[in-house]
Coordinates of all heavy atoms in Angstrom, one line a residue:
G421 N 0.8 -1.2 0.0 CA 0.0 0.0 0.0 C 0.8 1.3 0.0 O 2.1 1.3 0.2
C422 N 0.2 2.3 -0.2 CA 0.8 3.7 -0.2 C 1.0 4.2 1.2 O 0.2 3.9 2.1 CB -0.1 4.7 -0.9 SG -0.3 4.3 -2.7
K423 N 2.1 4.9 1.4 CA 2.4 5.5 2.7 C 2.0 6.9 2.6 O 2.1 7.6 1.6 CB 3.8 5.4 3.0 CG 4.3 4.0 3.4 CD 5.7 4.1 3.9 CE 6.2 2.8 4.5 NZ 7.5 2.8 5.1
S424 N 1.4 7.5 3.7 CA 1.1 8.9 3.8 C 1.9 9.5 5.0 O 2.3 8.8 5.9 CB -0.4 9.1 4.0 OG -0.8 8.6 5.2
D425 N 2.2 10.8 4.8 CA 2.9 11.5 5.8 C 1.9 12.3 6.6 O 0.8 12.7 6.1 CB 3.9 12.4 5.2 CG 4.9 13.0 6.2 OD1 4.9 12.5 7.3 OD2 5.7 13.9 5.8
T426 N 2.1 12.5 7.9 CA 1.2 13.4 8.7 C 2.0 14.6 9.2 O 3.2 14.6 9.3 CB 0.6 12.6 9.9 OG1 1.7 12.2 10.7 CG2 -0.2 11.4 9.5
A427 N 1.3 15.7 9.4 CA 1.8 16.9 9.9 C 0.9 17.5 11.0 O -0.3 17.1 11.0 CB 2.1 17.9 8.8
E428 N 1.4 18.3 11.8 CA 0.6 18.9 12.8 C 0.8 20.4 12.8 O 1.9 20.9 12.5 CB 1.1 18.3 14.2 CG 0.3 18.8 15.3 CD 0.8 18.1 16.6 OE1 0.9 16.9 16.7 OE2 1.1 18.9 17.6
V429 N -0.2 21.2 13.2 CA -0.1 22.6 13.3 C -0.8 23.0 14.6 O -1.8 22.5 14.9 CB -0.7 23.3 12.0 CG1 -2.2 23.1 11.9 CG2 -0.4 24.8 12.1
T430 N -0.2 24.0 15.3 CA -0.8 24.5 16.5 C -1.3 26.0 16.2 O -0.5 26.8 15.7 CB 0.2 24.6 17.6 OG1 0.6 23.2 17.9 CG2 -0.5 25.1 18.9
I431 N -2.6 26.2 16.5 CA -3.1 27.6 16.3 C -3.3 28.2 17.7 O -4.0 27.6 18.5 CB -4.5 27.5 15.5 CG1 -4.3 26.7 14.2 CG2 -5.0 28.9 15.3 CD1 -3.4 27.4 13.2
S432 N -2.8 29.4 17.9 CA -3.0 30.1 19.2 C -4.0 31.2 19.0 O -4.2 31.7 17.9 CB -1.7 30.7 19.6 OG -0.7 29.7 19.8
V433 N -4.8 31.4 20.1 CA -5.8 32.4 20.1 C -5.3 33.5 21.1 O -4.8 33.2 22.2 CB -7.1 31.9 20.6 CG1 -8.2 33.0 20.7 CG2 -7.6 30.8 19.6
F434 N -5.4 34.8 20.7 CA -5.0 35.9 21.6 C -5.7 35.8 22.9 O -6.9 35.4 23.0 CB -5.2 37.2 21.0 CG -4.3 37.5 19.8 CD1 -4.8 37.6 18.5 CD2 -3.0 37.7 20.0 CE1 -4.0 37.9 17.4 CE2 -2.1 38.0 18.9 CZ -2.6 38.1 17.6
P435 N -5.1 36.2 24.0 CA -5.8 36.3 25.3 C -6.9 37.3 25.3 O -6.9 38.2 24.4 CB -4.7 36.6 26.3 CG -3.7 37.3 25.5 CD -3.7 36.7 24.1
N436 N -7.7 37.3 26.3 CA -8.8 38.3 26.4 C -8.2 39.7 26.6 O -7.1 39.9 27.2 CB -9.7 38.0 27.6 CG -10.5 36.8 27.4 OD1 -10.8 36.4 26.3 ND2 -10.9 36.2 28.5
V437 N -8.9 40.7 26.2 CA -8.5 42.1 26.5 C -8.8 42.4 27.9 O -9.9 42.0 28.5 CB -9.4 43.1 25.6 CG1 -9.1 44.5 25.9 CG2 -9.1 42.8 24.1
E438 N -7.9 43.1 28.6 CA -8.1 43.5 30.0 C -8.2 45.0 30.1 O -7.3 45.7 29.5 CB -7.0 42.9 30.9 CG -7.0 41.4 30.9 CD -5.9 40.8 31.8 OE1 -5.6 41.5 32.9 OE2 -5.4 39.8 31.5
L439 N -9.2 45.5 30.8 CA -9.4 46.9 31.0 C -9.4 47.2 32.4 O -10.2 46.6 33.2 CB -10.7 47.3 30.3 CG -11.3 48.7 30.6 CD1 -10.3 49.8 30.1 CD2 -12.6 48.9 30.0
E440 N -8.6 48.1 32.8 CA -8.6 48.6 34.2 C -8.9 50.1 34.2 O -8.4 50.8 33.4 CB -7.2 48.3 34.9 CG -6.9 46.8 35.0 CD -5.6 46.6 35.6 OE1 -5.1 47.3 36.4 OE2 -5.0 45.6 35.2
L441 N -9.7 50.5 35.1 CA -10.2 51.9 35.2 C -9.7 52.5 36.6 O -9.7 51.8 37.6 CB -11.7 52.0 35.2 CG -12.3 51.5 33.9 CD1 -13.9 51.5 34.1 CD2 -11.9 52.3 32.7
Y442 N -9.3 53.8 36.5 CA -8.8 54.5 37.7 C -9.4 55.8 37.7 O -9.4 56.6 36.8 CB -7.3 54.6 37.7 CG -6.6 53.3 37.5 CD1 -6.1 52.9 36.2 CD2 -6.3 52.5 38.6 CE1 -5.5 51.7 36.0 CE2 -5.7 51.2 38.4 CZ -5.2 50.9 37.1 OH -4.6 49.7 37.0
A443 N -10.1 56.2 38.9 CA -10.6 57.5 39.1 C -9.7 58.3 40.0 O -9.1 57.8 40.9 CB -12.0 57.4 39.7
N444 N -9.5 59.6 39.6 CA -8.6 60.4 40.5 C -9.2 60.7 41.8 O -8.5 61.1 42.7 CB -8.2 61.7 39.7 CG -9.3 62.7 39.5 OD1 -10.5 62.3 39.3 ND2 -9.0 63.9 39.5
K445 N -10.5 60.6 42.0 CA -11.2 60.8 43.3 C -12.4 59.8 43.3 O -12.9 59.4 42.3 CB -11.8 62.2 43.4 CG -10.8 63.3 43.3 CD -11.5 64.6 43.2 CE -10.5 65.7 42.9 NZ -11.2 67.0 42.6
D446 N -12.7 59.3 44.5 CA -13.9 58.4 44.6 C -15.1 59.1 45.2 O -16.2 58.5 45.3 CB -13.6 57.1 45.2 CG -13.1 57.3 46.7 OD1 -13.0 58.4 47.2 OD2 -12.7 56.3 47.3
T447 N -14.9 60.3 45.7 CA -16.0 61.1 46.3 C -15.8 62.6 46.0 O -14.7 63.1 46.2 CB -16.0 60.9 47.8 OG1 -16.1 59.5 48.2 CG2 -17.2 61.6 48.5
V448 N -16.9 63.2 45.4 CA -16.9 64.6 45.1 C -18.2 65.3 45.4 O -19.2 64.6 45.6 CB -16.5 64.9 43.6 CG1 -15.1 64.4 43.3 CG2 -17.5 64.2 42.7
C449 N -18.3 66.6 45.4 CA -19.5 67.3 45.4 C -20.3 67.1 44.1 O -19.6 66.9 43.1 CB -19.3 68.8 45.7 SG -18.5 69.1 47.3
P450 N -21.6 67.2 44.1 CA -22.4 67.0 42.9 C -21.9 68.0 41.8 O -21.7 69.1 42.1 CB -23.8 67.3 43.3 CG -23.8 67.0 44.8 CD -22.5 67.4 45.3
G451 N -21.7 67.4 40.6 CA -21.3 68.2 39.5 C -19.9 68.5 39.3 O -19.4 69.1 38.3
N452 N -19.1 68.2 40.3 CA -17.6 68.4 40.2 C -17.0 67.3 39.3 O -17.5 66.2 39.3 CB -17.0 68.4 41.6 CG -17.2 69.6 42.4 OD1 -17.9 70.5 41.9 ND2 -16.6 69.7 43.5
P453 N -15.9 67.6 38.7 CA -15.3 66.7 37.7 C -14.5 65.6 38.4 O -13.9 65.8 39.4 CB -14.4 67.6 36.9 CG -14.0 68.7 37.8 CD -15.2 68.9 38.6
I454 N -14.6 64.4 37.7 CA -13.7 63.3 38.0 C -13.0 62.9 36.7 O -13.6 62.9 35.7 CB -14.6 62.1 38.5 CG1 -15.4 62.4 39.7 CG2 -13.8 60.8 38.6 CD1 -14.6 62.2 41.0
T455 N -11.7 62.6 36.8 CA -11.0 62.1 35.7 C -10.8 60.6 35.8 O -10.3 60.1 36.8 CB -9.6 62.8 35.6 OG1 -9.9 64.2 35.4 CG2 -8.9 62.3 34.3
I456 N -11.2 59.8 34.8 CA -11.1 58.4 34.8 C -10.0 58.1 33.7 O -10.1 58.5 32.6 CB -12.4 57.7 34.4 CG1 -13.5 58.0 35.5 CG2 -12.2 56.2 34.3 CD1 -14.9 57.5 35.1
T457 N -9.0 57.4 34.1 CA -7.9 56.9 33.2 C -8.0 55.4 33.0 O -8.7 54.7 33.8 CB -6.5 57.3 33.7 OG1 -6.3 56.7 35.0 CG2 -6.3 58.8 33.8
T458 N -7.4 54.9 32.0 CA -7.5 53.5 31.6 C -6.2 52.9 31.5 O -5.2 53.5 31.1 CB -8.3 53.3 30.3 OG1 -7.6 53.9 29.3 CG2 -9.7 53.9 30.4
D459 N -6.2 51.6 31.7 CA -5.0 50.7 31.3 C -5.6 49.5 30.6 O -6.3 48.7 31.1 CB -4.3 50.3 32.6 CG -3.1 49.4 32.3 OD1 -2.6 49.4 31.1 OD2 -2.6 48.7 33.2
I460 N -5.3 49.5 29.3 CA -5.9 48.4 28.4 C -4.7 47.6 27.9 O -3.7 48.1 27.4 CB -6.6 49.0 27.2 CG1 -7.7 50.0 27.6 CG2 -7.2 47.9 26.4 CD1 -8.3 50.8 26.5
H461 N -4.8 46.3 28.1 CA -3.7 45.4 27.6 C -4.3 44.0 27.2 O -5.5 43.8 27.5 CB -2.6 45.3 28.6 CG -3.1 45.0 30.0 ND1 -3.5 45.9 30.9 CD2 -3.2 43.8 30.6 CE1 -3.9 45.3 32.0 NE2 -3.7 44.0 31.9
G462 N -3.5 43.2 26.7 CA -3.9 41.9 26.3 C -4.5 41.9 24.9 O -4.4 42.8 24.1
G463 N -5.2 40.8 24.6 CA -5.8 40.7 23.3 C -4.8 40.7 22.2 O -3.7 40.2 22.4
A464 N -5.2 41.2 21.0 CA -4.3 41.2 19.9 C -3.4 42.5 19.9 O -2.6 42.7 19.0 CB -5.1 41.2 18.6
G465 N -3.6 43.3 20.9 CA -2.8 44.5 21.0 C -3.4 45.7 20.4 O -4.6 45.7 19.9
D466 N -2.6 46.8 20.3 CA -3.1 48.1 19.7 C -3.5 47.9 18.2 O -2.9 47.0 17.6 CB -1.9 49.1 19.8 CG -1.8 49.7 21.2 OD1 -2.8 49.7 21.9 OD2 -0.7 50.0 21.5
P467 N -4.3 48.7 17.7 CA -5.0 49.7 18.4 C -6.2 49.2 19.2 O -6.9 48.3 18.7 CB -5.5 50.7 17.3 CG -5.7 49.8 16.1 CD -4.7 48.7 16.3
Y468 N -6.5 49.8 20.4 CA -7.6 49.4 21.2 C -8.7 50.5 20.9 O -8.4 51.6 20.7 CB -7.3 49.4 22.7 CG -6.4 48.3 23.1 CD1 -5.0 48.6 23.4 CD2 -6.8 47.0 23.2 CE1 -4.2 47.6 23.7 CE2 -5.9 46.0 23.5 CZ -4.6 46.3 23.8 OH -3.7 45.3 24.2
T469 N -10.0 50.1 21.0 CA -11.1 51.0 20.9 C -11.8 51.0 22.2 O -12.1 49.9 22.8 CB -12.1 50.6 19.8 OG1 -11.3 50.5 18.5 CG2 -13.2 51.6 19.6
L470 N -12.1 52.2 22.8 CA -12.8 52.3 24.0 C -14.2 52.9 23.8 O -14.3 53.9 23.1 CB -12.0 53.2 25.0 CG -12.5 53.4 26.4 CD1 -12.4 52.1 27.2 CD2 -11.7 54.4 27.1
T471 N -15.2 52.2 24.3 CA -16.6 52.8 24.1 C -17.2 52.9 25.5 O -16.9 52.2 26.4 CB -17.4 51.9 23.2 OG1 -17.5 50.5 23.8 CG2 -16.9 51.8 21.8
N472 N -18.2 53.9 25.6 CA -19.0 54.1 26.8 C -20.2 53.1 26.7 O -20.4 52.4 25.8 CB -19.3 55.5 27.0 CG -20.2 56.1 25.9 OD1 -20.8 55.4 25.1 ND2 -20.3 57.4 25.9
Q473 N -21.0 53.3 27.8 CA -22.2 52.4 27.9 C -23.2 52.6 26.8 O -24.0 51.7 26.5 CB -22.8 52.5 29.3 CG -23.2 53.9 29.7 CD -23.2 54.0 31.2 OE1 -22.4 53.4 31.9 NE2 -24.2 54.8 31.7
E474 N -23.2 53.7 26.1 CA -24.1 54.0 24.9 C -23.5 53.4 23.6 O -24.1 53.5 22.6 CB -24.4 55.5 24.8 CG -25.2 56.1 25.9 CD -24.4 56.4 27.1 OE1 -23.3 56.8 27.0 OE2 -25.0 56.4 28.2
G475 N -22.2 53.0 23.7 CA -21.6 52.5 22.5 C -20.8 53.5 21.7 O -20.3 53.2 20.6
T476 N -20.7 54.7 22.2 CA -19.9 55.8 21.6 C -18.4 55.6 21.8 O -18.0 55.3 23.0 CB -20.3 57.1 22.2 OG1 -21.8 57.3 22.0 CG2 -19.6 58.3 21.5
I477 N -17.6 55.7 20.8 CA -16.2 55.6 20.9 C -15.7 56.8 21.6 O -16.0 58.0 21.2 CB -15.5 55.4 19.5 CG1 -15.9 54.1 18.9 CG2 -14.0 55.5 19.6 CD1 -15.5 53.9 17.5
I478 N -14.8 56.6 22.6 CA -14.3 57.7 23.4 C -12.8 57.5 23.6 O -12.3 56.5 23.3 CB -15.0 57.8 24.8 CG1 -14.8 56.4 25.5 CG2 -16.4 58.2 24.7 CD1 -15.3 56.5 27.0
N479 N -12.1 58.6 24.0 CA -10.7 58.6 24.3 C -10.5 58.8 25.8 O -11.2 59.6 26.4 CB -10.0 59.6 23.4 CG -10.0 59.3 22.0 OD1 -9.8 58.2 21.6 ND2 -10.4 60.3 21.2
A480 N -9.5 58.2 26.3 CA -9.1 58.4 27.7 C -8.0 59.5 27.7 O -7.3 59.7 26.7 CB -8.6 57.1 28.3
P481 N -7.9 60.3 28.8 CA -8.7 60.2 30.0 C -10.1 60.7 29.8 O -10.4 61.5 28.9 CB -7.9 61.1 31.0 CG -7.2 62.1 30.1 CD -6.9 61.3 28.8
I482 N -11.0 60.3 30.6 CA -12.5 60.6 30.5 C -12.9 61.5 31.6 O -12.6 61.2 32.8 CB -13.3 59.3 30.6 CG1 -12.8 58.3 29.5 CG2 -14.8 59.6 30.4 CD1 -12.9 56.9 29.9
Q483 N -13.5 62.6 31.3 CA -14.0 63.5 32.3 C -15.5 63.3 32.5 O -16.3 63.2 31.6 CB -13.8 65.0 31.9 CG -12.4 65.5 31.9 CD -12.0 65.9 33.3 OE1 -11.0 65.3 33.8 NE2 -12.7 66.7 34.0
V484 N -15.9 63.1 33.8 CA -17.3 62.9 34.1 C -17.7 63.9 35.2 O -16.8 64.3 36.0 CB -17.6 61.5 34.5 CG1 -17.4 60.5 33.4 CG2 -16.8 61.0 35.7
Y485 N -18.9 64.3 35.3 CA -19.4 65.2 36.2 C -20.7 64.7 36.9 O -21.8 65.1 36.6 CB -19.8 66.6 35.5 CG -18.6 67.2 34.8 CD1 -18.3 66.8 33.5 CD2 -17.8 68.1 35.4 CE1 -17.2 67.3 32.9 CE2 -16.7 68.7 34.8 CZ -16.4 68.3 33.5 OH -15.3 68.8 32.9
P486 N -20.5 63.7 37.8 CA -21.7 63.1 38.4 C -22.5 64.0 39.3 O -21.9 64.8 40.1 CB -21.0 61.9 39.2 CG -19.7 62.4 39.6 CD -19.3 63.2 38.4
N487 N -23.8 63.9 39.3 CA -24.7 64.6 40.2 C -25.1 63.8 41.4 O -25.8 64.3 42.2 CB -25.9 65.1 39.4 CG -25.5 66.3 38.5 OD1 -24.8 67.2 38.9 ND2 -26.0 66.3 37.3
G488 N -24.7 62.5 41.3 CA -25.0 61.6 42.4 C -24.2 60.4 42.2 O -23.4 60.3 41.3
T489 N -24.3 59.4 43.1 CA -23.6 58.2 43.0 C -23.9 57.5 41.7 O -25.1 57.4 41.3 CB -23.9 57.2 44.1 OG1 -23.5 57.9 45.4 CG2 -23.1 55.9 44.0
Q490 N -22.9 57.2 40.9 CA -23.1 56.7 39.6 C -22.1 55.6 39.2 O -20.9 55.7 39.6 CB -23.1 57.8 38.6 CG -23.6 57.4 37.2 CD -23.9 58.7 36.4 OE1 -24.0 59.8 36.9 NE2 -24.0 58.5 35.1
N491 N -22.5 54.6 38.4 CA -21.6 53.6 37.9 C -21.4 54.0 36.4 O -22.3 54.3 35.7 CB -22.1 52.2 38.0 CG -22.2 51.7 39.4 OD1 -21.3 52.0 40.2 ND2 -23.3 51.1 39.8
Y492 N -20.1 53.9 36.0 CA -19.8 54.1 34.6 C -19.3 52.8 34.0 O -18.5 52.1 34.6 CB -18.7 55.2 34.4 CG -19.2 56.5 34.9 CD1 -19.0 57.0 36.2 CD2 -19.9 57.3 34.0 CE1 -19.5 58.2 36.6 CE2 -20.4 58.6 34.4 CZ -20.2 59.0 35.7 OH -20.6 60.2 36.1
I493 N -19.8 52.4 32.8 CA -19.4 51.2 32.1 C -18.7 51.5 30.8 O -19.2 52.3 30.0 CB -20.7 50.3 31.8 CG1 -21.4 50.0 33.2 CG2 -20.3 49.1 31.1 CD1 -22.8 49.3 33.0
F494 N -17.5 50.9 30.7 CA -16.7 51.1 29.5 C -16.3 49.8 28.9 O -16.1 48.8 29.7 CB -15.5 52.0 29.8 CG -15.8 53.3 30.3 CD1 -15.7 53.5 31.7 CD2 -16.2 54.3 29.5 CE1 -16.0 54.8 32.2 CE2 -16.5 55.6 30.0 CZ -16.4 55.8 31.4
T495 N -16.1 49.7 27.6 CA -15.7 48.4 27.0 C -14.5 48.7 26.1 O -14.5 49.7 25.4 CB -16.9 47.9 26.1 OG1 -18.0 47.6 26.9 CG2 -16.4 46.6 25.4
A496 N -13.5 47.9 26.2 CA -12.3 48.0 25.4 C -12.3 46.8 24.4 O -12.6 45.7 24.8 CB -11.1 48.0 26.2
K497 N -12.0 47.1 23.1 CA -11.8 46.1 22.1 C -10.5 46.2 21.5 O -10.0 47.3 21.3 CB -12.9 46.2 21.0 CG -14.3 45.9 21.6 CD -15.3 45.8 20.5 CE -16.7 45.5 21.0 NZ -17.7 45.4 20.0
D498 N -9.9 45.1 21.0 CA -8.6 45.1 20.3 C -8.8 45.1 18.8 O -10.0 45.2 18.4 CB -7.8 43.9 20.8 CG -8.4 42.5 20.4 OD1 -9.4 42.5 19.6 OD2 -7.9 41.5 20.9
N499 N -7.8 45.0 18.1 CA -7.9 45.1 16.6 C -8.6 43.9 16.0 O -8.8 43.8 14.8 CB -6.6 45.5 15.9 CG -5.5 44.4 16.2 OD1 -5.8 43.3 16.6 ND2 -4.3 44.8 15.9
C500 N -8.9 42.8 16.8 CA -9.6 41.7 16.3 C -11.1 41.9 16.6 O -12.0 41.1 16.2 CB -9.2 40.4 17.0 SG -7.6 39.7 16.5
G501 N -11.5 42.9 17.4 CA -12.8 43.2 17.7 C -13.2 42.4 19.0 O -14.4 42.4 19.4
S502 N -12.3 41.8 19.7 CA -12.5 41.1 20.9 C -12.5 42.0 22.1 O -11.8 43.0 22.1 CB -11.5 40.0 21.1 OG -11.4 39.1 20.1
S503 N -13.4 41.7 23.0 CA -13.5 42.6 24.2 C -13.2 41.7 25.5 O -13.2 40.6 25.5 CB -14.8 43.3 24.3 OG -15.9 42.5 24.3

């Protein structure tokens, strides 16, 4: 019979994107500014895209002016579109 050769290939997948957020203050008077900075790493690397909870692309640092206790949600994606 005929002999065949076999080969093997390993495919790697980039790790998850990691997003860390830092606020310059955690308590302020209503309407006073807070600056939020980001540390984005992992995934397929730069360029990263940062979006707010409405899906709008934004750039860090982020200025917010809370009138009360508020949670802010941000999403970071890498150049593969992974978050």
